[in-house]
Amino acid sequence: DVKVTQSSRYLVKRTGEKVFLECVQDMDHENMFWYRQDPGLGLRLIYFSYDVKMKEKGDIPEGYSVSREKKERFSLILESASTNQTSMYLCASSSGPETQYFGPGTRLLVL
Amino acid sequence: ILNVEQSPQSLHVQEGDSTNFTCSFPSSNFYALHWYRWETAKSPEALFVMTLNGDEKKKGRISATLNTKEGYSYLYIKGSQPEDSATYLCAPPNAGNMLTFGGGTRLMVKP
């Protein structure tokens, strides 16, 4: 069965802290994605990666960076968390431009 | 960034009612349209991938139609049940084959 896992379901951080969100997939997918979801705005793409050590900016990359050192793992980094980064963060993976498989999400609160 | 609109934003229906909602997207350079269902506390789950004008897909009581010339897709649920309560997201790929999600329609079915 397809599986995408995220390191935390809920996270509370303080403004200015460095935050790491980890995502792992076990399907040997080339593509991995990070989205954030805010009420009324749907899922917005932050960054994606189509191969190890490759990354591309999505629609809203400002304030974020990513790391993909291994094919199965894609990390989202908030270098200095701010309150406007309070959101639900979803990771997904896919093989080519096909269906994406999502993790359960991390709800991040930045105080 | 593709302009993808879903309406209505939210919908409350009684158990047994049939319902439908809309996804509008740019009709030029159409490639495919994905529908996802996102239940609370779970991961978004793929429902359909539609590619051809006039396509109709069905999964149990849920069906979807596609009009690529005018740029819309309808999702229908026949005889809604409380377990159909979820946010329904549509997503056409953009020029880079990355999915662009609409804001979603949040469906609540009252028993």
Side-chain angles (χ1 to χ4, degrees), chain A residues 23-74:
Chain A
C23 175
V24 178
Q25 51 98 1
D26 65 359
M27 297 158 284
D28 202 36
H29 284 166
E30 301 86 9
N31 303 325
M32 295 188 76
F33 309 84
W34 274 106
Y35 295 90
R36 65 179 279 177
Q37 194 264 341
D38 301 290
L41 295 177
L43 293 174
R44 292 183 292 165
L45 182 64
I46 304 171
Y47 267 97
F48 64 96
S49 168
Y50 52 88
D51 203 351
V52 175
K53 296 194 186 293
M54 306 301 286
K55 59 185 179 184
E56 294 284 345
K57 292 180 181 179
D59 299 324
I60 51 163
E62 297 78 20
Y64 303 94
S65 62
V66 290
S67 171
R68 193 161 180 206
E69 297 296 318
K70 293 185 178 181
K71 191 175 185 180
E72 67 271 16
R73 190 179 295 269
F74 192 35

Side-chain angles (χ1 to χ4, degrees), chain A residues 33 37 42 90 99-100 102-104, chain B residues 1 36 38 41 43-44 46 98 102-103:
Chain A
F33 309 84
Q37 194 264 341
L90 282 157
T99 298
Q100 293 185 15
F102 285 86
Chain B
I1 299 176
Y36 285 82
W38 190 5
S43 310
M98 294 298 121

Side-chain angles (χ1 to χ4, degrees), chain B residues 1 3 12 19 21 28 33 39 41-42 49 53 57 62 68 71 87-88 99-100 102 107 110:
Chain B
I1 299 176
N3 185 25
H12 291 76
T19 186
F21 26 92
S28 57
L33 184 80
E39 295 177 69
K42 293 186 179 179
V49 181
N53 185 43
K57 299 255 177 158
I62 303 176
T68 61
T87 296
Y88 292 83
L99 296 182
T100 299
L107 174 67
K110 298 177 196 174

Side-chain angles (χ1 to χ4, degrees), chain B residues 10-105:
Chain B
S10 66
L11 197 52
H12 291 76
V13 300
Q14 286 294 136
E15 182 176 353
D17 287 352
S18 293
T19 186
N20 66 85
F21 26 92
T22 309
C23 171
S24 301
F25 52 86
S27 56
S28 57
N29 299 316
F30 178 82
Y31 168 68
L33 184 80
H34 297 236
W35 278 102
Y36 285 82
R37 174 170 61 198
W38 190 5
E39 295 177 69
T40 303
K42 293 186 179 179
S43 310
E45 181 184 49
L47 278 175
F48 306 116
V49 181
M50 310 180 79
T51 54
L52 299 174
N53 185 43
D55 230 0
E56 182 168 347
K57 299 255 177 158
K58 193 170 180 182
K59 189 175 183 177
R61 292 177 290 96
I62 303 176
S63 60
T65 60
L66 179 66
N67 183 321
T68 61
K69 293 182 180 177
E70 295 181 40
Y72 65 83
S73 176
Y74 292 140
L75 192 82
Y76 300 91
I77 302 178
K78 185 178 177 182
S80 304
Q81 299 297 307
E83 59 265 30
D84 296 328
S85 297
T87 296
Y88 292 83
L89 297 163
C90 69
N94 62 18
N97 282 327
M98 294 298 121
L99 296 182
T100 299
F101 285 88
T105 292

